[in-house]
Amino acid sequence: MLEAMTQEALLAALRLQLDWGADDALEDAPIDRTVARVAAAAAPAEVTPPAAARPGGRPGGQEAPAVLIPSRAPTPGATRAAALAAQADSLPALRAAMAEFDASPLRETATNLVFADGVTESGLMLVGEAPGGDEDRLGRPFVGVSGQLLDRMLGSIGLDRAKDFYITNILPFRPPGNRTPTDAEVALFLPFMLRHIVLAKPRHLVLLGGVAAKALLRSKEGITRLRGRWHQVTISDDQSLPALATLHPAYLLRNPAAKRDAWADLLSLQRHLASQ
Ligand code: URA
């Protein structure tokens, strides 16, 4: 997917840097930091293996358990979600099952179901939190200001939504007032999310923000601890895939200083894709 960066991608990277305020050169000669980081990227420590696969479990107690075992008994709603999701044998069927699922009040307050956007063929799937106002109105994920920032960020490493990635959210419906989804809402829709991953068949995931990272990594740790690392998300006993946790673009809009970390994560994604 990721050939040598085209002139267009290099310009996009430059535009993003300018956008983020890096408008001054500090050295006479440019430093190619992508090359400097290649050696570090080759170190196996970047990928967190499934907790179950590590002798002695979770070293230091710091890493997220990656196996998706519900922490408590599923509610009747989640059981129904799991049954509906399991019956869906294609992405359109999954979308229809989610539209039919009426166990969440979010369905009543939302204007549209927001399912996904982009293409599945590339093998890269991004997972956000929940639709905002623009997404709810248009029925497409990440089309508002934070989505536009995300597109610019991914453009800076040569990735275009029309051909290079697929994107969805943990919740398909907008929480009123754009509030953060509750744990119960996340648990209710998680079976659909997991089925979505199975049907879209990505080879790599990017988890945008704390809600997506905590839900899919089954972690209680905050995104500032989880970000910047490749984890392993286990979908079933015999299916797992690498997942990079990173900051949500909406957070970056509120906290411009965090763009430095986001840029490091983008480079990690670029290296990971180039090594595949
Ligand atoms: N934030 C998200 O997490 N998802 C969207 O689709 C839009 C904003």
Side-chain angles (χ1 to χ4, degrees):
M1 175 203 313
L2 200 70
E3 320 297 352
M5 282 182 88
T6 60
Q7 189 181 12
E8 195 187 339
L10 287 167
L11 283 172
L14 195 58
R15 267 195 297 274
L16 185 74
Q17 299 289 330
L18 283 170
D19 202 23
W20 285 4
D23 54 2
D24 227 340
L26 297 180
E27 307 284 341
D28 288 342
I31 303 169
D32 188 345
R33 297 185 196 281
T34 57
V35 171
R37 287 170 186 258
V38 166
E46 263 210 354
V47 172
T48 307
R54 284 194 305 265
R58 303 168 60 191
Q62 294 298 331
E63 293 170 0
V67 181
L68 289 162
I69 298 168
S71 46
R72 30 186 129 94
T75 58
T79 305
R80 236 186 90 228
L84 277 174
Q87 281 163 21
D89 57 3
S90 66
L91 290 171
L94 182 67
R95 189 187 191 290
M98 288 165 76
E100 179 192 323
F101 181 64
D102 60 4
S104 169
L106 293 181
R107 182 176 181 259
E108 310 313 318
T109 49
T111 309
N112 278 303
L113 168 85
V114 177
F115 185 66
D117 200 14
V119 294
T120 54
E121 290 75 16
S122 65
L124 175 62
M125 180 167 178
L126 277 66
V127 182
E129 181 178 311
D134 292 320
E135 290 77 16
D136 181 48
R137 197 164 41 82
L138 298 172
R140 282 176 62 209
F142 284 100
V143 289
V145 226
S146 61
Q148 288 157 23
L149 171 61
L150 183 67
D151 282 346
R152 286 203 301 282
M153 289 167 60
L154 291 163
S156 78
I157 56 163
L159 299 178
D160 175 353
R161 194 190 286 219
K163 60 181 174 57
D164 296 321
F165 62 93
Y166 184 68
I167 187 161
T168 186
N169 284 304
I170 294 283
L171 296 192
F173 297 115
R174 174 188 185 226
N178 296 341
R179 63 163 171 73
T180 304
T182 64
D183 289 350
E185 286 163 348
V186 170
L188 186 63
F189 284 101
L190 197 58
F192 290 118
M193 182 70 247
L194 297 178
R195 189 71 185 148
H196 205 151
I197 296 173
V198 170
L199 294 169
K201 301 191 184 69
R203 293 187 302 283
H204 348 262
L205 291 173
V206 173
L207 310 176
L208 298 165
V211 169
K214 286 193 220 173
L216 287 172
L217 299 174
R218 279 290 182 209
S219 176
K220 291 204 185 311
E221 282 194 302
I223 187 65
T224 45
R225 295 197 70 103
L226 295 172
R227 66 144 285 274
R229 285 188 286 145
W230 284 88
H231 306 259
Q232 199 73 17
V233 167
T234 303
I235 305 301
S236 65
D237 284 350
D238 54 5
Q239 201 179 356
S240 71
L241 69 166
L244 174 68
T246 189
L247 301 168
H248 193 287
Y251 176 81
L252 298 177
L253 289 169
R254 294 191 304 270
N255 301 276
K259 287 173 177 171
R260 184 192 172 98
D261 287 339
W263 177 243
D265 297 350
L266 279 175
L267 294 180
S268 174
L269 175 62
Q270 185 181 38
R271 282 193 307 271
H272 175 86
L273 296 176
S275 73
Q276 301 300 300

